[in-house]
C-alpha cells in the first residue's frame, strides 16, 4: 500500500519561497506519474506540476518559471520548490501519484494522496 506524506508548508510573505516535500512509503515505480496539486476552499484540486520517474518529463501549468518539481527516487521523495510566492498561491497543497506514466491534468486520475500541507502567503 502506497502512502504519501507532505511537509514543508507554512506562512510566508509575498515574494518568499517554500520547499514542499513528499515522502512515499511502499512501492513506487520510477514510471509512475508524481504530481503536486493545490486546492482552495470550494474549488477542485488543481494540478500545479507533475514529473514522471527518471526526469522523463515535467509539466508546469500555471506556475511556470516560479515552481520547480523534482524527485529523488532513491529517497522516495519528490519536491515542489516554490519561489516568488504571491497571495494567489495560498492553499492546501497535496502530493499525489498514480500507477501510470500518463499524468492527466485532473485529480480524478490519481490514486494515492497525501494529507496535504497548508501554504499561506501574506499580501
Amino acid at each position: 500500500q502506497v502512502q504519501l506524506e507532505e511537509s514543508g508548508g507554512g506562512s510566508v510573505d509575498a515574494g518568499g519561497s517554500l520547499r514542499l516535500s513528499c515522502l512515499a512509503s511502499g512501492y513506487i515505480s520510477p514510471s509512475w506519474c508524481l504530481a503536486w496539486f493545490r486546492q482552495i476552499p470550494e474549488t477542485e484540486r488543481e494540478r500545479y506540476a507533475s514529473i514522471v520517474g527518471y526526469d522523463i518529463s515535467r509539466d508546469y501549468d500555471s506556475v511556470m518559471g516560479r515552481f520547480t518539481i523534482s524527485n529523488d527516487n532513491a529517497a522516495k521523495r519528490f519536491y515542489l520548490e516554490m519561489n516568488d510566492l504571491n497571495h494567489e498561491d495560498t492553499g492546501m497543497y497535496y502530493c499525489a501519484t498514480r500507477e501510470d506514466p500518463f499524468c492527466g491534468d485532473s485529480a480524478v486520475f490519481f490514486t494515492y494522496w497525501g494529507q496535504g500541507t497548508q501554504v499561506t502567503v501574506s499580501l
Side-chain angles (χ1 to χ4, degrees), residues 9 12 14 22 24 32 57 65 69 73 84 90-91 93 96 103 114 117:
V12 295
C22 182
W32 291 5
S57 65
I69 189 171
N73 289 313
D84 193 22
T90 294
Y93 284 72
C103 294
T117 185

Side-chain angles (χ1 to χ4, degrees), residues 13-113:
D13 293 331
S17 299
L18 286 172
R19 188 190 196 204
L20 305 184
S21 175
C22 182
L23 175 64
S25 61
Y27 176 73
I28 298 285
S29 169
S31 65
W32 291 5
C33 178
L34 312 172
W36 285 97
F37 286 78
R38 187 200 70 153
Q39 187 172 30
I40 57 176
E42 300 181 5
T43 68
E44 295 183 354
R45 294 180 185 182
E46 176 186 14
R47 185 169 66 96
Y48 263 27
S50 62
I51 186 170
V52 178
Y54 297 115
D55 197 22
I56 296 173
S57 65
R58 291 191 174 101
D59 302 307
Y60 298 88
D61 298 301
S62 60
V63 295
M64 188 176 292
R66 298 189 299 122
F67 290 14
T68 303
I69 189 171
S70 62
N71 64 336
D72 183 339
N73 289 313
K76 288 190 173 181
R77 284 185 181 271
F78 60 107
Y79 305 94
L80 186 67
E81 183 79 32
M82 305 188 294
N83 297 311
D84 193 22
L85 285 160
N86 58 58
H87 182 66
E88 288 68 36
D89 296 318
T90 294
M92 186 70 78
Y93 284 72
Y94 297 89
C95 60
T97 187
R98 61 176 304 206
E99 299 177 19
D100 197 293
F102 172 71
C103 294
D105 58 2
S106 172
V108 300
F109 290 110
F110 288 81
T111 307
Y112 306 105
W113 292 86

